[in-house]
Amino acid sequence: MYRSHTCGDLRASHIDSEVVLSGWVHKVRDKGFVVWIDLRDRYGVTQLVFDEERTSKKLLEKARTLGRETVIKASGKVIERASKNPNLPTGEIELLVTGLEVLNESILPPFTIEDDTDGGEDIRMKYRYLDIRRNPVKNNLIFRHQVTMEVRKYLSGQGFIEVETPYLIKSTPEGARDFVVPSRMNEGQFYALPQSPQTFKQLLMVGGMDKYFQIVKCFRDEDLRADRQPEFTQIDCEMAFVEQEDVLNAFEGLTKHLLKEIKGVAVEDFPRMTYDEVMRRFGNDKPDIRFGMEFGELNEVAQHKDFNVFNSAELVVGIAVPGAASYTRKEIDTLVDWVKRPQIGAKGMVYMKCNEDGTYKSSVDKFYNQEDFANWAKATGAKTGDLILVLSGKTNETRSQLSALRMEMAERLGLRKADEFAPLWVVDFPLLELDEETGHYHAMHHPFTSPKPGQLELLDTDPSAVRANAYDLVLNGNEIGGGSIRIHDKETQAIMFKHLGFSPEEAKAQFGFLMDAFQYGAPPHGGIAFGLDRLVAILGGQETIRDFIAFPKNNSGRDVMIDAPAPIDKEQLEELHLKLDL
């Protein structure tokens, strides 16, 4: 028997019990006449004790030779700890060791296995299996498991059935690049790894499985960042015989359940805003509504005042930063430099202070009077002591720039609190987006999203005005889920493909199987997919998904631990009918 208890089990009630523990040597403290060893496993830490009076000399010497991370088995009697540790669940006891077996020795780890480690990110990624032994990573993985189990429990209780869909599928245009897999048995042909199970879950609705879900791996060959990986996990869901309201209510329920069960937080209010509204008020379609600083459009009160920068702009817009009128000129200059960075792209920034004495002070004083500035304050909702920051330029670019500045100011002011949760539904997205480079429209969500009722005819006359029967769930400034009511008849789907630039032949080749299925009584249906990695990270008080994935890729899409991707040998290439000119 390797263990009768884990290293987190033992308490004062176990005193005088004979037990067996196994785990990793966490620390060794040798005082000459006594040796203490902290033994660690997934469940906790138990102190082992060896001393000259009660331990054989041979056993004491053996304990002194143990290095960190050596795997051992220790047997003995649980005794009361002389110097108790109130910060440790096992801190009232220790194990007086009578038997010790080395199960596997360890070489010196490349970084210390401690909560506050000395290992940088690159080295910890390379030795991820060691990093998982640290409490922060281990606890994140346990937390992810808890969230996943609650998802399964809730959806199963609501009548959803988990169904697995294929990983080797056909390449389809869904917005990102596919990962492709060559077929050995079908020369010159390729599978693709799914970007989502979209068409399969729709086919399940045709098959009568009216409530489906799947916790599923998806793959997108795109550039990476902190909240994006080439392989990621979705909570994928679909329902038949539903309208938008049914889907929103169902998954508000899931979100409330997770917040209550995982975080102990009761959230009742799920406000809804249209896409046009959130863009106007916050400058992006996934706003963080835990704090204010809503946009105030200033065109009417800031243009035609001899300040050509504003007069030539499509949009002049500002935010009121609470309590920041005390910022020095040097602090404001750092903000100007911040918005001028290439990542933001603004050409400059205007500011206005709302002074405590009721006056206003601005970087453009010579162009405006106090009455003008009072109108700025009114438009932005600024109060005494606030600082108004103003950007101008093309509408979409300026909104994006000010949105980034709003989030930066919230971070600096500590307004984005990890223990506060503010969900938001964003609805009525545009159905199509115009690619300004090509002049062609593409689907803002995907080609299977239905237009809002009564708007199908607008596709021929005013495509940009058509709104989608689509919705995103935003939590704390992050999109955690998105979905739509789907097209469920062949004729409408054919019209959609036509407006996306597919010829009838191309549509048939790519999606003929789905359009054929629609002819056999496809029910009205819709669904949603949550990004599990991002959802877990936000519930865990973070926004970097990598910390909640067991074996993540780096920012170049590489697994530095196993050194992948990697070349394959010539024989494999030949079997796959591939030839590389290197």
Side-chain angles (χ1 to χ4, degrees):
M1 179 173 62
Y2 284 117
R3 57 186 179 185
S4 61
H5 297 76
T6 72
C7 294
D9 280 344
L10 301 177
R11 302 291 188 270
S13 59
H14 293 96
I15 289 174
D16 292 332
S17 299
E18 295 287 337
V19 302
V20 181
L21 302 179
S22 289
W24 288 264
V25 173
H26 188 60
K27 289 181 181 177
V28 179
R29 299 184 297 281
D30 186 352
K31 297 299 183 182
F33 64 92
V34 62
V35 174
W36 290 284
I37 291 176
D38 287 346
L39 187 66
R40 183 195 71 242
D41 64 9
R42 180 187 123 190
Y43 305 93
V45 174
T46 297
Q47 180 170 283
L48 313 182
V49 61
F50 307 76
D51 64 39
E52 291 180 344
E53 292 184 4
R54 296 173 291 181
T55 306
S56 70
K57 184 176 181 181
K58 182 178 179 180
L59 202 57
L60 187 60
E61 291 303 318
K62 189 174 182 179
R64 289 193 171 110
T65 66
L66 298 176
R68 279 191 169 210
E69 301 309 308
T70 293
V71 185
I72 64 172
K73 168 185 169 183
S75 55
K77 187 166 77 171
V78 181
I79 62 174
E80 185 176 2
R81 188 164 166 170
S83 179
K84 295 179 175 58
N85 183 349
N87 299 317
L88 201 64
T90 60
E92 293 186 347
I93 58 89
E94 59 189 359
L95 183 67
L96 179 62
V97 179
T98 56
L100 178 64
E101 180 182 350
V102 175
L103 301 177
N104 207 337
E105 293 185 351
S106 173
I107 61 174
L108 183 67
F111 55 89
T112 55
I113 314 298
E114 298 281 0
D115 290 1
D116 296 320
T117 183
D118 56 0
E121 185 173 338
D122 290 342
I123 196 72
R124 289 189 289 108
M125 289 275 283
K126 183 175 177 62
Y127 297 93
R128 184 64 166 181
Y129 47 85
L130 297 180
D131 203 26
I132 291 172
R133 294 181 189 175
R134 297 192 310 115
N135 283 326
V137 181
K138 176 199 74 177
N139 291 338
N140 282 348
L141 296 182
I142 293 171
F143 183 77
R144 181 188 178 107
H145 163 74
Q146 292 168 341
V147 173
T148 302
M149 292 305 294
E150 288 298 332
V151 168
R152 283 197 163 97
K153 183 171 73 174
Y154 181 85
L155 291 177
S156 297
Q158 296 295 311
F160 285 80
I161 304 298
E162 186 165 14
V163 182
E164 292 181 89
T165 54
Y167 279 166
L168 295 175
I169 67 167
K170 185 179 184 178
S171 182
T172 59
E174 285 194 42
R177 295 183 185 90
D178 287 325
F179 282 101
V180 295
V181 181
S183 171
R184 179 181 60 83
M185 293 182 289
N186 299 275
E187 183 175 351
Q189 297 185 324
F190 296 83
Y191 299 104
L193 300 179
Q195 296 183 34
S196 80
Q198 180 62 45
T199 54
F200 288 100
K201 66 180 179 180
Q202 290 190 250
L203 292 171
L204 285 170
M205 297 303 102
V206 178
M209 302 293 290
D210 69 331
K211 285 187 173 182
Y212 142 93
F213 84 99
Q214 185 181 187
I215 297 178
V216 59
K217 280 281 189 185
C218 301
F219 307 86
R220 292 180 186 172
D221 187 6
E222 57 186 354
D223 296 336
L224 307 181
R225 56 180 186 237
D227 63 344
R228 183 182 289 166
Q229 288 272 300
E231 53 179 314
F232 57 96
T233 305
Q234 283 188 181
I235 308 167
D236 197 60
C237 309
E238 197 80 2
M239 305 167 72
F241 303 108
V242 291
E243 297 177 331
Q244 176 176 295
E245 195 67 21
D246 301 306
V247 180
L248 268 55
N249 287 336
F251 292 97
E252 273 189 25
L254 172 62
T255 309
K256 288 177 181 178
H257 175 81
L258 292 176
L259 288 169
K260 182 67 174 176
E261 295 300 318
I262 299 295
K263 302 301 295 184
V265 174
V267 177
E268 295 302 324
D269 187 24
F270 280 62
R272 299 181 188 181
M273 299 184 197
T274 65
Y275 171 85
D276 291 340
E277 182 182 1
V278 295
M279 294 303 293
R280 177 174 50 80
R281 291 173 61 182
F282 302 101
N284 73 73
D285 59 5
K286 45 182 182 294
D288 191 335
I289 59 171
R290 287 175 293 180
F291 55 93
M293 289 194 280
E294 290 192 22
F295 287 14
E297 295 190 0
L298 303 174
N299 289 47
E300 291 187 6
V301 296
Q303 290 184 326
H304 313 299
K305 300 287 184 176
D306 296 328
F307 185 49
N308 288 332
V309 172
F310 284 176
N311 291 343
S312 61
E314 281 184 5
L315 177 68
V316 183
V317 62
I319 56 172
V321 182
S326 60
Y327 273 33
T328 64
R329 181 59 189 265
K330 183 177 180 180
E331 288 175 310
I332 293 173
D333 285 344
T334 64
L335 293 177
V336 175
D337 292 339
W338 191 89
V339 299
K340 285 183 175 180
R341 297 181 311 150
Q343 302 95 310
I344 307 302
K347 293 180 180 178
M349 184 186 77
V350 169
Y351 74 86
M352 188 194 85
K353 294 183 176 183
C354 302
N355 297 323
E356 295 292 340
D357 62 3
T359 63
Y360 304 101
K361 174 67 178 172
S362 173
S363 53
V364 288
D365 276 340
K366 66 181 180 179
F367 298 104
Y368 298 93
N369 58 38
Q370 292 290 298
E371 183 181 349
D372 293 328
F373 290 142
N375 289 329
W376 290 22
K378 183 179 180 181
T380 58
K383 299 179 176 59
T384 300
D386 291 353
L387 173 69
I388 298 176
L389 305 178
V390 183
L391 299 181
S392 62
K394 292 184 177 179
T395 298
N396 291 341
E397 292 177 3
T398 303
R399 282 175 172 169
S400 177
Q401 292 159 1
L402 189 61
S403 175
L405 179 59
R406 174 180 180 266
M407 294 293 277
E408 175 66 15
M409 297 310 300
E411 290 285 356
R412 296 188 183 197
L413 296 172
L415 301 178
R416 303 191 71 208
K417 296 179 173 60
D419 58 351
E420 291 181 6
F421 297 93
L424 167 71
W425 285 110
V426 179
V427 299
D428 294 356
F429 285 82
L431 182 68
L432 303 174
E433 278 185 308
L434 181 64
D435 187 324
E436 294 183 0
E437 291 185 6
T438 65
H440 295 144
Y441 283 98
H442 61 86
M444 192 163 188
H445 278 69
H446 53 60
F448 317 108
T449 298
S450 68
K452 298 290 282 189
Q455 296 196 0
L456 183 63
E457 293 75 14
L458 283 175
L459 282 173
D460 289 322
T461 58
D462 191 4
S464 60
V466 181
R467 287 301 179 254
N469 216 343
Y471 33 83
D472 281 357
L473 182 56
V474 177
L475 184 62
N476 295 1
N478 293 270
E479 178 202 331
I480 61 168
S484 65
I485 300 300
R486 323 300 186 189
I487 296 169
H488 68 278
D489 66 277
K490 183 176 180 178
E491 291 74 21
T492 304
Q493 189 65 73
I495 292 170
M496 184 66 172
F497 284 143
K498 182 187 77 172
H499 285 279
L500 293 173
F502 287 84
S503 69
E505 294 75 23
E506 289 170 334
K508 175 72 174 175
Q510 290 280 359
F511 301 108
F513 64 94
L514 182 65
M515 297 173 77
D516 288 346
F518 285 170
Q519 298 178 106
Y520 292 94
H525 58 280
I528 193 169
F530 288 78
L532 178 64
D533 310 297
R534 192 176 300 169
L535 174 61
V536 170
I538 294 168
L539 291 175
Q542 302 179 43
E543 292 187 5
T544 304
I545 65 174
R546 187 184 299 164
D547 296 335
F548 293 84
I549 298 173
F551 299 104
K553 307 291 189 292
N554 68 10
N555 285 341
S556 299
R558 294 196 64 83
D559 187 324
V560 296
M561 183 183 67
I562 64 173
D563 194 23
I568 60 175
D569 61 40
K570 183 179 179 181
E571 288 75 14
Q572 282 181 288
L573 287 172
E574 289 174 350
E575 283 187 333
L576 295 168
H577 317 290
L578 297 176
K579 183 181 291 186
L580 296 182
D581 295 323
L582 299 178

